[in-house]
Amino acid sequence: MNMDSNTVVLSLLVFLTCAPRCIYSEERHLVKMNLVRNALSLGAYCLDGSLPAYHLDRGFGAGARNWLLQFEGGGWCNDIKSCLDRAQTHRGSTHYMSKVEVFSGILSNNASLNPDFYNWNRVKLRYCDGASFAGDAKFDNGTSLLYFRGQRIWQAIILDLLPKGLGQAKKALLSGCSAGGLATFLHCDNFTNYLPKNASVKCLSDAGFFLDARDIGLNHTMRYFYKDLVALQGVEQNLDKNCTTSNPYPAQCFFPQYALPYIRTPFFILNSAYDVFQFHHALVPPAADPHGHWYHCKLNPAACNAIQIYTLQGFRKYMLETLRFFLNSSRRGGMFINSCFAHCQSELQDTWFAPDSPRVNNKTIAQAVGDWYFGRNISKEIDCAYPCDNTCHNLIG
């Protein structure tokens, strides 16, 4: 079974929402792909056996020794068929990937569009394993071969970047979107182990706080999906040991809500309380709505009836409840939970930092993240419940 957040419909709506600015960004800031040659010695391969890759845009000036790494997102695969299908796409092979990527939002090199990180070394880690860079296994039945080597891909990319300056980093931020945002939870503490002891290292997850919640049919759709994924791709051995030893169901430590209490590195959680991907695939998966009662609500939140709104508000409440301990924790943690029907807000310029960007307490996402990273202010922003926020870019509506 494949779960890919980049559906055709959502991608089209994202494009229509930001088309003028996206086109402008593409014309001015394209970054080339680098294949990781040392991956061979580590056995680090994409699903189809191709070499992993990343895009690096060099920092300059005062940011020349600072590094921002961004995990790419793109869903998961949790069985052989879906992984074989995925291996024949850009989600499982660098052969099918675009060889240049647009760097915008948190990856922009323009000070007016990305004021705090524009001159850092910015890296996009391409996603081709289907398990949030966390698996370590192989499938070979004599006719089909799949490499589940996300953990080794992560290690190979880091080892490739260390001699390029990452090893002398003064400041570093590990980030990611969607499945890449989940990867940030899984690799945050490990990232700090590679860097100098005196470096300022922090982590940011964008749309990666996937909940262990029941769907509208009262089934644990995501829990069983992740359970199969963890077993297939050999993920459990790479999950946080403190979490797995204290949890009767170790595979659940793939969920951020169970992993977060054990993360020692300062962490920022950027998420919509009505995350579109979770709304469509975890709360109301197609199997739980065979007659399409939620069809119009999924397309446009304004079309949701009173019961559907009540259900959505319950999902938001559960998310905030699971984050309560984090909200009340020390100054080291940051948070921006808004009420926009969106998924991934750090890489799109319109939602990251623009004149009409979404705001909570009159603060943009970029400002909130910057305040947190540099310690300018305590940055734990929680939006009011839908439909009160008129600054949203509701990409599905």
PDB file of all heavy atoms in Angstrom, residues 42 55 78 89 109 111 134 181 277 324:
ATOM      1  N   LEU A  42      28.753   1.710   1.603  1.00  0.00           N
ATOM      2  CA  LEU A  42      27.869   1.545   2.755  1.00  0.00           C
ATOM      3  C   LEU A  42      26.653   0.681   2.440  1.00  0.00           C
ATOM      4  O   LEU A  42      25.857   0.381   3.327  1.00  0.00           O
ATOM      5  CB  LEU A  42      27.388   2.916   3.247  1.00  0.00           C
ATOM      6  CG  LEU A  42      28.447   3.872   3.806  1.00  0.00           C
ATOM      7  CD1 LEU A  42      27.816   5.215   4.129  1.00  0.00           C
ATOM      8  CD2 LEU A  42      29.095   3.273   5.045  1.00  0.00           C
ATOM      9  N   HIS A  55      20.756  17.879  -2.958  1.00  0.00           N
ATOM     10  CA  HIS A  55      21.033  19.148  -3.629  1.00  0.00           C
ATOM     11  C   HIS A  55      21.645  20.073  -2.588  1.00  0.00           C
ATOM     12  O   HIS A  55      21.080  20.244  -1.498  1.00  0.00           O
ATOM     13  CB  HIS A  55      19.744  19.767  -4.172  1.00  0.00           C
ATOM     14  CG  HIS A  55      19.015  18.899  -5.149  1.00  0.00           C
ATOM     15  ND1 HIS A  55      18.939  19.181  -6.488  1.00  0.00           N
ATOM     16  CD2 HIS A  55      18.318  17.739  -4.967  1.00  0.00           C
ATOM     17  CE1 HIS A  55      18.217  18.242  -7.092  1.00  0.00           C
ATOM     18  NE2 HIS A  55      17.836  17.357  -6.185  1.00  0.00           N
ATOM     19  N   ASN A  78       4.456   0.146   2.343  1.00  0.00           N
ATOM     20  CA  ASN A  78       4.506  -0.807   3.455  1.00  0.00           C
ATOM     21  C   ASN A  78       4.250  -2.253   3.046  1.00  0.00           C
ATOM     22  O   ASN A  78       4.026  -3.107   3.897  1.00  0.00           O
ATOM     23  CB  ASN A  78       3.507  -0.398   4.547  1.00  0.00           C
ATOM     24  CG  ASN A  78       2.060  -0.646   4.153  1.00  0.00           C
ATOM     25  OD1 ASN A  78       1.735  -0.727   2.966  1.00  0.00           O
ATOM     26  ND2 ASN A  78       1.188  -0.775   5.144  1.00  0.00           N
ATOM     27  N   THR A  89       9.404   4.983  -9.779  1.00  0.00           N
ATOM     28  CA  THR A  89       9.049   6.401  -9.810  1.00  0.00           C
ATOM     29  C   THR A  89      10.150   7.215  -9.144  1.00  0.00           C
ATOM     30  O   THR A  89      11.118   6.670  -8.597  1.00  0.00           O
ATOM     31  CB  THR A  89       7.720   6.666  -9.073  1.00  0.00           C
ATOM     32  OG1 THR A  89       7.949   6.561  -7.643  1.00  0.00           O
ATOM     33  CG2 THR A  89       6.648   5.669  -9.487  1.00  0.00           C
ATOM     34  N   ASN A 109      17.644  31.543  -1.023  1.00  0.00           N
ATOM     35  CA  ASN A 109      18.895  32.278  -0.774  1.00  0.00           C
ATOM     36  C   ASN A 109      18.678  33.785  -0.825  1.00  0.00           C
ATOM     37  O   ASN A 109      19.630  34.554  -0.943  1.00  0.00           O
ATOM     38  CB  ASN A 109      19.962  31.873  -1.797  1.00  0.00           C
ATOM     39  CG  ASN A 109      19.630  32.345  -3.211  1.00  0.00           C
ATOM     40  OD1 ASN A 109      18.485  32.699  -3.520  1.00  0.00           O
ATOM     41  ND2 ASN A 109      20.629  32.341  -4.082  1.00  0.00           N
ATOM     42  N   ALA A 111      17.444  37.117   1.071  1.00  0.00           N
ATOM     43  CA  ALA A 111      17.257  37.620   2.437  1.00  0.00           C
ATOM     44  C   ALA A 111      15.852  38.164   2.672  1.00  0.00           C
ATOM     45  O   ALA A 111      15.325  38.076   3.782  1.00  0.00           O
ATOM     46  CB  ALA A 111      18.290  38.709   2.735  1.00  0.00           C
ATOM     47  N   ALA A 134      14.632   5.491   7.388  1.00  0.00           N
ATOM     48  CA  ALA A 134      14.829   4.770   8.648  1.00  0.00           C
ATOM     49  C   ALA A 134      14.991   3.253   8.517  1.00  0.00           C
ATOM     50  O   ALA A 134      15.284   2.589   9.506  1.00  0.00           O
ATOM     51  CB  ALA A 134      13.662   5.057   9.599  1.00  0.00           C
ATOM     52  N   GLY A 181       9.401  15.314   7.464  1.00  0.00           N
ATOM     53  CA  GLY A 181       9.221  15.874   8.795  1.00  0.00           C
ATOM     54  C   GLY A 181       9.232  14.790   9.851  1.00  0.00           C
ATOM     55  O   GLY A 181       9.773  14.974  10.948  1.00  0.00           O
ATOM     56  N   PHE A 277      -3.099  15.976   4.666  1.00  0.00           N
ATOM     57  CA  PHE A 277      -2.775  14.569   4.447  1.00  0.00           C
ATOM     58  C   PHE A 277      -3.402  13.684   5.516  1.00  0.00           C
ATOM     59  O   PHE A 277      -3.991  12.639   5.220  1.00  0.00           O
ATOM     60  CB  PHE A 277      -1.259  14.359   4.415  1.00  0.00           C
ATOM     61  CG  PHE A 277      -0.877  12.928   4.169  1.00  0.00           C
ATOM     62  CD1 PHE A 277      -0.849  12.424   2.879  1.00  0.00           C
ATOM     63  CD2 PHE A 277      -0.579  12.071   5.217  1.00  0.00           C
ATOM     64  CE1 PHE A 277      -0.525  11.095   2.637  1.00  0.00           C
ATOM     65  CE2 PHE A 277      -0.262  10.743   4.997  1.00  0.00           C
ATOM     66  CZ  PHE A 277      -0.232  10.254   3.698  1.00  0.00           C
ATOM     67  N   ARG A 324       0.588  18.603  24.753  1.00  0.00           N
ATOM     68  CA  ARG A 324       0.488  19.411  25.964  1.00  0.00           C
ATOM     69  C   ARG A 324       1.793  19.411  26.774  1.00  0.00           C
ATOM     70  O   ARG A 324       2.247  20.444  27.237  1.00  0.00           O
ATOM     71  CB  ARG A 324      -0.666  18.927  26.835  1.00  0.00           C
ATOM     72  CG  ARG A 324      -0.966  19.850  28.037  1.00  0.00           C
ATOM     73  CD  ARG A 324      -2.139  19.330  28.863  1.00  0.00           C
ATOM     74  NE  ARG A 324      -3.323  19.096  28.041  1.00  0.00           N
ATOM     75  CZ  ARG A 324      -4.154  20.064  27.686  1.00  0.00           C
ATOM     76  NH1 ARG A 324      -3.934  21.306  28.071  1.00  0.00           N
ATOM     77  NH2 ARG A 324      -5.226  19.776  26.958  1.00  0.00           N
TER      78      ARG A 324
END
